[in-house]
């Protein structure tokens, strides 16, 4: 008995020592993906949502579209017949994770994504098969790549259309909305700094989740209270040689509160051509945006 107690005490002391590293899980995390069409039937020319759900094992996380200091984005690829027009995946507001690599952005537990799909106006009536392929990186101490493919169907009919599934509206509650939807908000560029101002609500100051844009380097943001407003200032500098052909812009999310369904606002602002060519020295063409 004394021997057992000594072993247990040793394990406890090791686990509570600073710097102790928990063992890496031996098995691949069982991230489960399910998909369903937001409607059973749609008319030609209509848009519907595909709901993609990831059930992520406890203590693991996957990544947002812009993962941060490490990781790779979670992605969904939709294909099928009838020349369906697939829009960009809608990602819910992410959580923040801090580790040795730095800050990353992603999801834990059950997480739902939306993919908008438009049926062509000349689509023949009938059942349309759709294939959804998901890819992710699941991490806890170590990381595993995962993927899955699911098949779903939607009925195209010019006579009837079904109601949207309630799961779609619940998932949409967690999606960021445009900053322009916030009453009293403004966004502007000045002296190589993006400035966002808006009223402080009951949830206090926002947190910033930046989107990485090739050729645009963000400095540490400054978030403060200015009277009854919040003020977010994001200094940046340009590296045109690393732009990979993308237009330079400053983009990200403002998160209020702590819960998934709390408000989050998306912003994106192009950097004026005069500033791009002058390396940030020419401010003559900077202007405010609504």
């Amino acid at each position: 008995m004394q021997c057992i107690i000594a072993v247990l005490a040793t394990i406890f002391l090791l686990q509570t020592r600073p710097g102790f590293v928990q063992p890496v899980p031996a098995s691949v995390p069982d991230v489960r993906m399910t998909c369903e069409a937001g409607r059973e039937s749609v008319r030609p020319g209509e848009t519907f949502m595909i709901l993609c759900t990831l059930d992520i094992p406890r203590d693991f996380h996957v990544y947002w579209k812009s993962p941060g200091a490490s990781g790779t984005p979670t992605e969904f690829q939709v294909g099928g017949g009838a020349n369906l027009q697939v829009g960009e995946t809608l990602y819910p507001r992410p959580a923040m994770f801090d580790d040795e690599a730095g800050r990353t952005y992603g999801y834990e537990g059950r997480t739902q994504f939306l993919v908008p799909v438009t049926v062509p106006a000349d689509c023949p009536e009938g059942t349309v098969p759709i294939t959804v392929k998901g890819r992710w990186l699941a991490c806890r101490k170590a990381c595993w790549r995962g993927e899955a493919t699911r098949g779903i169907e939607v009925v195209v009919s010019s006579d009837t259309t079904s109601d949207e599934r309630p799961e779609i509206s619940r998932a949409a509650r967690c999606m960021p909305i445009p900053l322009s939807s916030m009453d009293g908000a403004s966004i502007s560029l000045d002296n190589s700094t993006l400035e966002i101002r808006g009223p402080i609500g009951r949830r206090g100051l926002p947190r910033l989740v930046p989107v990485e844009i090739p050729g645009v380097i963000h400095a540490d943001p400054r978030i403060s209270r200015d009277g009854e407003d919040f003020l977010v200032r994001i200094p940046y500098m340009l590296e045109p040689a690393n732009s990979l052909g993308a237009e330079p812009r400053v983009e990200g999310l403002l998160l209020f509160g702590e819960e998934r369904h709390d408000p989050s606002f998306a912003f994106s602002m192009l950097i004026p051509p005069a500033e791009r060519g002058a390396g940030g020295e020419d401010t003559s063409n900077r202007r405010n945006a609504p």
Side-chain angles (χ1 to χ4, degrees):
M1 178 64 70
Q2 291 180 342
C3 181
I4 295 175
I5 294 175
V7 171
L8 293 176
T10 301
I11 293 173
F12 175 79
L13 289 174
L14 284 173
Q15 290 181 337
T16 55
R17 283 179 55 189
F20 177 79
V21 178
Q22 296 288 341
V24 174
S27 60
V28 176
D30 184 18
V31 178
R32 300 187 179 184
M33 184 180 90
T34 57
C35 300
E36 60 181 323
R39 295 180 180 177
E40 292 182 0
S41 62
V42 295
R43 293 189 177 96
E46 284 189 330
T47 298
F48 67 98
M49 293 289 181
I50 294 177
L51 178 67
C52 299
T53 302
L54 293 183
D55 285 301
I56 305 163
R58 183 177 178 180
D59 297 329
F60 283 89
H61 63 266
V62 301
Y63 292 93
W64 186 48
K65 65 178 183 179
S66 185
S70 64
T72 59
T74 299
E75 299 177 329
F76 299 93
Q77 181 180 359
V78 176
N83 295 319
L84 298 176
Q85 301 168 11
V86 181
E88 294 186 2
T89 299
L90 304 180
Y91 292 79
R93 61 173 278 169
M96 298 181 180
F97 307 105
D98 291 307
D99 56 26
E100 295 83 355
R103 174 161 290 180
T104 58
Y105 310 100
Y107 308 102
E108 295 177 311
R110 169 165 285 199
T111 305
Q112 296 182 311
F113 307 79
L114 295 174
V115 183
V117 177
T118 301
V119 178
D122 58 354
C123 179
E125 296 189 22
T127 300
V128 177
I130 300 172
T131 300
V132 183
K133 185 171 185 177
R135 298 185 182 90
W136 57 83
L137 187 70
C139 295
R140 187 188 77 180
K141 304 297 182 183
C143 295
W144 288 262
R145 295 188 182 276
E147 64 177 47
T149 301
R150 300 287 181 264
I152 60 176
E153 294 179 343
V154 66
V155 175
V156 177
S157 172
S158 58
D159 296 327
T160 61
T161 184
S162 60
D163 293 334
E164 189 172 72
R165 300 182 191 274
E167 293 86 355
I168 301 299
S169 60
R170 287 198 290 266
R173 289 181 58 203
C174 298
M175 304 296 169
I177 61 176
L179 182 65
S180 57
S181 302
M182 181 191 295
D183 292 337
S186 65
I187 181 171
S188 61
L189 290 174
D190 183 34
N191 194 29
S192 294
T193 299
L194 181 78
E195 182 174 293
I196 303 175
R197 182 185 295 271
I200 295 179
R202 60 183 177 84
R203 294 178 178 85
L205 294 176
R207 292 176 295 160
L208 174 69
V209 178
V211 173
E212 296 181 6
I213 303 297
V216 181
I217 306 300
H218 295 166
D220 290 337
R222 298 188 291 276
I223 303 174
S224 61
R225 178 186 293 267
D226 186 11
E228 297 184 354
D229 290 342
F230 67 81
L231 180 61
V232 178
R233 305 188 80 243
I234 310 171
Y236 63 87
M237 62 181 181
L238 301 181
E239 293 185 346
N242 297 325
S243 67
L244 303 178
E247 283 194 296
R249 64 189 187 276
V250 182
E251 185 173 329
L253 301 178
L254 296 183
L255 309 184
F256 292 84
E258 301 292 335
E259 302 299 327
R260 287 189 178 186
H261 58 269
D262 282 337
S264 59
F265 298 87
F267 64 87
S268 180
M269 193 169 189
L270 286 174
I271 297 172
E275 183 174 331
R276 305 176 206 174
E281 296 298 325
D282 184 355
T283 64
S284 60
N285 286 346
R286 294 192 181 99
R287 62 184 184 277
N288 291 340

